[in-house]
Amino acid sequence: MNASRVSYTLESTLESVNKAEQTARDLAVRCGFPEEEADRISMAVREAAVNAVLHGNHYDQDKRMFAVFEATPDAISITIRDEGSGLIPDEVPDPLAPENLLKQSGRGIFLIRAFMDEVRFRKMDPGTEITLIKHMRGEDREIKEASK
């Protein structure tokens, strides 16, 4: 597959979250990731998009979520950015810590980190940008090549 890139400027709505999730899943499948891996990638993107719309933009109609989807022969990369007040990732509570087991906060970022190979946060002015990267593994490439 040659490199490809698509970007969206989306409203702060759950419909936008759904669009980001579906775009990620479609891209992962098109790039040759197995169904189970495509599901993990799309779930990680959903969590990032929910964080942008809910926690970053607070469903503010005047704020946007930006999503960029890129594919190369070696990896896919999804960047989600909001226009909120910003996030300090190190301050997000560890959902596995005993005192946080019954709390909701931190679970989305935990899942994102568990499902993706690389996760990068960047403070913007305004907002937060998160980049999720999943590398194509050898066995995934072999399956893709065999299906051609």
Side-chain angles (χ1 to χ4, degrees), residues 17-68:
V17 170
N18 293 340
K19 180 173 181 126
E21 177 184 22
Q22 188 61 51
T23 301
R25 187 173 199 302
D26 293 346
L27 178 63
V29 168
R30 196 173 84 235
C31 288
F33 285 94
E35 291 289 322
E36 188 174 302
E37 199 64 40
D39 289 342
R40 288 186 189 115
I41 292 166
S42 66
M43 185 180 291
V45 170
R46 180 173 191 81
E47 291 295 337
V50 165
N51 284 346
V53 167
L54 173 64
H55 300 297
N57 292 347
H58 301 285
Y59 294 113
D60 186 334
Q61 294 179 8
D62 296 326
K63 293 182 180 178
R64 299 288 175 253
M65 174 178 70
F66 306 92
V68 178

Side-chain angles (χ1 to χ4, degrees), residues 108-132:
I109 291 174
F110 176 81
L111 286 175
I112 292 167
R113 287 181 168 143
F115 291 157
M116 302 303 288
D117 294 326
E118 296 178 50
V119 179
R120 301 177 190 149
F121 291 91
R122 190 166 73 142
K123 176 82 169 102
M124 305 300 287
D125 188 20
T128 301
E129 177 181 274
I130 183 172
T131 300
L132 316 174

Side-chain angles (χ1 to χ4, degrees), residues 88-102:
I88 301 170
D90 293 338
E91 292 182 4
V92 175
D94 176 2
L96 299 181
E99 66 274 13
N100 296 328
L101 289 178
L102 298 178

